[in-house]
């Protein structure tokens, strides 16, 4: 191929979508070339609209017709996405930064496990970060670090108040899109504020409004916090839902189980590691009881979903009086009986709980 054509044609302008505001997209231009401005407020080409292509925060896009003076442009195409998460909606996320505090709010291992499991379910790499080191003793920090290492994670301990540990964290954010998740009040917004002090990220107030239900749609925004490092803040919440996890997938959300499965396999591919024959998962690790209680929860949610779709499938639409459609359930009531929750409970009771008790936190 001759290079002439290539040389004559200017290189396409590409960038990362930082925020979506109504029908406008704020795009941070990629740095290989020097542009008159670094950000453009863009519209989406109608061709994209017609094709039903939605632009998400985190998308890598090609921008055309830049108006450098007006700082405007048009998104012509979206480059293929590497990943997509939906709560919050962000494309091309490379990793989740799960942030907790060593104190204020008190660090609860069960709650932490719940957050870890939902983060693991995205299949994205996780950075586990503990903030507010300044509020705890060295002994407490050491104890938590050792404990979390036994779970299979290597936590980064920081204090946004004193700045300790932040260099290590910063290194792990470079050239990545990272979504911060974690309990309310742990310091997620403070982290962004640390990198861009001039940025108004509403430290200490976002989730209060969220909690009162006033934020019905979540506003997501990427902040550039260093060398091609982008961070998305999220409002904190207390109880992440595990409902969408399928029971056989839950085990993969625990590094302790993944490690044991690397050495040998259970007889059944979809083994739930409760008391199936030839299951290789032992119960001698701290979070096994958490695994069991989450298993019970995801199984219940899964059963409910199955019953719901079965009931929808058996409900036939029929014209009612005056032509109004009316749902008529078919009369196969036996099938509606609650099935496997009790079975699961029974199988959970069969586990040798005593052998686990000394491990309870
Ligand atoms: N002592 C101490 N306080 C901190 C530290 N980091 C943050 N804080 C304080 O913790 C409080 C909550 O911080 P935010 O950054 O708003 O927490 P958040 O995780 O964004 O909370 P939500 O938006 O509610 O989810 C603020 O009052 C911060 O000043 C720290 O390292 N040490
Ligand atoms: Mg916040
Ligand atoms: Zn098993």
């Amino acid at each position: 191929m001759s290079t002439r054509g290539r040389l004559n044609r200017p290189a396409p302008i590409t960038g990362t979508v930082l925020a979506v505001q109504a029908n406008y997209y704020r795009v941070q231009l990629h740095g290989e070339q020097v542009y008159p401005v670094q950000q453009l407020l863009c519209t989406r080409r109608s061709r994209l609209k017609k094709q039903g292509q939605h632009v998400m925060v985190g998308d890598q896009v090609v921008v055309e017709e830049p108006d450098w003076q007006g700082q405007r442009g048009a998104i012509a195409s979206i480059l293929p996405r590497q990943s997509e998460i939906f709560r919050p909606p962000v494309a091309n996320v490379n990793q989740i930064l799960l942030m907790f505090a060593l104190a204020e709010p008190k660090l609860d291992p069960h709650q932490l496990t719940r957050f870890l499991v939902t983060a693991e379910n995205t299949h994205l790499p996780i950075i586990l970060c503990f903030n507010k080191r300044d509020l705890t003793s060295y002994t407490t920090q050491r104890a938590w670090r050792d404990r979390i290492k036994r779970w299979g994670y290597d936590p980064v301990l920081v204090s946004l108040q004193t700045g300790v540990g932040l260099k290590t964290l910063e290194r792990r954010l470079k050239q990545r899109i990272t979504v911060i998740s974690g309990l309310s009040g742990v310091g997620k917004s403070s982290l962004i504020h640390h990198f861009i002090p001039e940025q108004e990220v509403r430290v200490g107030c976002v989730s209060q409004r969220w909690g009162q239900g006033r934020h019905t749609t979540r506003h997501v925004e990427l902040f550039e916090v260093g060398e091609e490092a982008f961070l998305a803040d999220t409002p904190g919440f207390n109880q992440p839902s595990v409902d969408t996890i399928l029971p056989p997938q839950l085990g993969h959300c625990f590094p302790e189980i993944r490690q044991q499965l690397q050495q040998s396999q259970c007889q059944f591919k979809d083994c739930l590691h409760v008391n199936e024959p030839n299951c290789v998962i032992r119960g001698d690790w701290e979070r096994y009881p958490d695994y069991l209680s989450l298993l019970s929860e995801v199984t219940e949610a899964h059963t409910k979903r199955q019953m719901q779709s079965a009931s929808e499938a058996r409900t036939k639409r029929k014209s009612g009086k005056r032509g109004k459609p009316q749902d008529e359930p078919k009369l196969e009531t036996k099938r509606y009986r609650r099935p496997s929750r009790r079975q699961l409970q029974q199988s959970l009771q069969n586990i040798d709980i005593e052998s686990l008790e000394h491990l309870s936190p």
Side-chain angles (χ1 to χ4, degrees), residues 16-20 55-60 81-96 122 124 176-180 218-223 230-234:
T16 302
V17 177
L18 298 184
V20 180
V55 182
M56 286 173 85
V57 167
D59 265 330
Q60 310 290 301
R81 285 180 190 143
Q82 306 301 313
S83 68
E84 262 177 28
I85 60 169
F86 296 101
R87 277 187 300 177
V90 187
N92 301 314
V93 176
N94 300 106
Q95 56 189 5
I96 310 265
T122 63
L124 290 167
R176 298 234 180 317
I177 294 182
T178 307
V179 169
I180 320 177
R218 287 184 178 198
H219 171 79
V220 207
E221 182 168 354
L222 287 183
F223 296 99
F230 293 100
L231 271 184
D233 190 13
T234 61

Side-chain angles (χ1 to χ4, degrees), residues 247 272 294-304 340-341 344:
L272 298 178
L294 285 170
L295 181 63
S296 156
E297 197 176 324
V298 298
T299 305
E300 188 177 352
H302 180 61
T303 308
K304 236 187 225 165
S340 67
R341 170 127 199 255
L344 177 73

Side-chain angles (χ1 to χ4, degrees), residues 101-105 130-136 158-160 185-187:
L102 289 162
E104 293 179 24
F130 292 124
N131 185 29
K132 309 202 188 182
R133 253 174 98 155
D134 56 289
L135 296 179
T136 52
V158 303
S159 166
L160 283 161
V186 295

Side-chain angles (χ1 to χ4, degrees), residues 12-33 35-45 48 54-68 70-79 92 177 220-224 230:
I13 303 170
T14 57
T16 302
V17 177
L18 298 184
V20 180
Q21 295 150 333
N23 289 323
Y24 288 95
Y25 306 90
R26 192 143 49 76
V27 178
Q28 169 85 32
L29 303 180
H30 290 161
E32 301 95 50
Q33 297 191 35
Y35 298 112
V37 290
Q38 284 311 303
Q39 289 187 8
L40 292 178
L41 196 60
C42 298
T43 50
R44 173 175 59 143
R45 275 275 147 85
L48 289 183
H54 291 281
V55 182
M56 286 173 85
V57 167
D59 265 330
Q60 310 290 301
V61 294
V62 175
V63 175
E64 284 180 353
E65 292 173 25
D67 161 12
W68 298 116
Q71 305 186 9
R72 299 293 176 112
I75 295 177
S77 60
I78 307 168
L79 302 181
N92 301 314
I177 294 182
V220 207
E221 182 168 354
L222 287 183
F223 296 99
E224 193 172 27
F230 293 100

Side-chain angles (χ1 to χ4, degrees), residues 102 107 109 130 139-149:
L102 289 162
L107 181 44
F130 292 124
T139 321
T140 310
Q141 292 166 27
R142 189 68 209 244
W144 273 112
R145 192 191 289 276
D146 292 348
R147 184 172 180 184
I148 299 301
K149 279 193 168 172

Side-chain angles (χ1 to χ4, degrees), residues 296-315:
S296 156
E297 197 176 324
V298 298
T299 305
E300 188 177 352
H302 180 61
T303 308
K304 236 187 225 165
R305 269 200 311 274
Q306 277 186 323
M307 291 201 307
Q308 218 164 10
S309 53
S311 117
E312 274 161 21
R314 269 183 236 107
T315 303

